[in-house]
Amino acid sequence: MTWSVYGSYLAVVVLVVLAPGPDTMVVLKNSLAGGFRGGLVASSGILIGNLLQGSAAALGLGAVIAHSQPLFLTLKWLGVAYLCYLGVQALRGAWKGDYQAMDGTSGARGFRRFREGFLSNITNPKVLILYLSVLPQFLDPAVTTTWDALLLAYTVGVLGFAWLMVLLFFVHRVRVWLRRRRVRRTLDAVTGGALLGFGALLAAEA
């Protein structure tokens, strides 16, 4: 693994990370309801899911899942169902418009936010397919090792987490504006619609 190869890989990963997806919407949803700490807990769940999927791809387990039709379809439809569930939750919040002060991350709420982040990532087969399609382009089986593959895989998770931190800091800076009821309802509606849209796109893919 040379620095030039790793630099080229970083350029590709940055473009992938910056593209909005389900993880972005889940963090936005939780940061709106739970503040910075709520979004941080959800981001941590996403990071763990990302690292697990990256490890599976780097160690060869991802290819087994991707080529096993029953396993892959099960993962796919679990992902569809969970994204739609989160989308409906956000839309219900927008419909009710009954917002209290940001509820933090204590107790069951903290675990729920972590769980939402983790499950939204780990049940998304597109993340695994991304690893399986991108990593081989930068690995030479004749000279690279498992540690090289893990380095590339974990780079995606770390950069993705860093981008979510940037999003969280932005949300935190404009938190006073975001607490307005009309703004919260609009953002919940947009987030819910986006999550349902991502679920529909995942369901439509062959």
Side-chain angles (χ1 to χ4, degrees):
M1 178 65 62
T2 65
W3 283 110
S4 61
V5 171
Y6 189 65
S8 300
Y9 177 75
L10 282 178
V12 173
V13 170
V14 167
L15 292 177
V16 171
V17 165
L18 292 179
D23 289 348
T24 306
M25 295 299 107
V26 170
V27 170
L28 181 59
K29 172 180 177 292
N30 281 280
S31 61
L32 289 174
F36 183 85
R37 293 181 63 187
L40 178 61
V41 172
S43 299
S44 299
I46 290 169
L47 174 63
I48 298 301
N50 226 332
L51 294 179
L52 286 176
Q53 295 218 60
S55 298
L59 297 175
L61 299 177
V64 174
I65 296 174
H67 288 92
S68 173
Q69 193 74 355
L71 279 175
F72 186 79
L73 287 177
T74 299
L75 184 63
K76 170 184 173 177
W77 288 109
L78 283 174
V80 170
Y82 197 66
L83 288 176
C84 290
Y85 166 74
L86 294 179
V88 169
Q89 273 194 325
L91 290 176
R92 285 181 61 190
W95 177 263
K96 292 180 179 179
D98 185 18
Y99 299 113
Q100 304 298 324
M102 290 186 174
D103 53 24
T105 58
S106 59
R109 288 194 181 98
F111 175 74
R112 177 171 59 81
R113 299 193 191 290
F114 179 88
R115 182 186 63 199
E116 285 190 6
F118 177 76
L119 290 179
S120 72
N121 186 277
I122 204 71
T123 61
N124 186 355
K126 294 178 70 175
V127 176
L128 186 60
I129 293 300
L130 169 67
Y131 282 116
L132 295 176
S133 60
V134 174
L135 260 61
Q137 310 302 319
F138 296 89
L139 295 173
D140 182 354
V143 296
T144 53
T145 66
T146 300
W147 294 111
D148 292 325
L150 287 172
L151 171 64
L152 296 185
Y154 293 164
T155 296
V156 177
V158 171
L159 287 181
F161 184 77
W163 168 241
L164 293 178
M165 290 301 97
V166 173
L167 175 65
L168 280 178
F169 278 113
F170 172 76
V171 172
H172 184 66
R173 290 294 298 272
V174 296
R175 63 189 181 281
V176 174
W177 178 69
L178 293 177
R179 285 174 182 165
R180 297 177 182 176
R181 184 169 178 269
R182 180 178 298 179
V183 174
R184 283 287 305 276
R185 293 187 73 178
T186 300
L187 288 175
D188 273 348
V190 171
T191 302
L195 287 168
L196 288 176
F198 285 126
L201 288 174
L202 180 58
E205 290 188 355

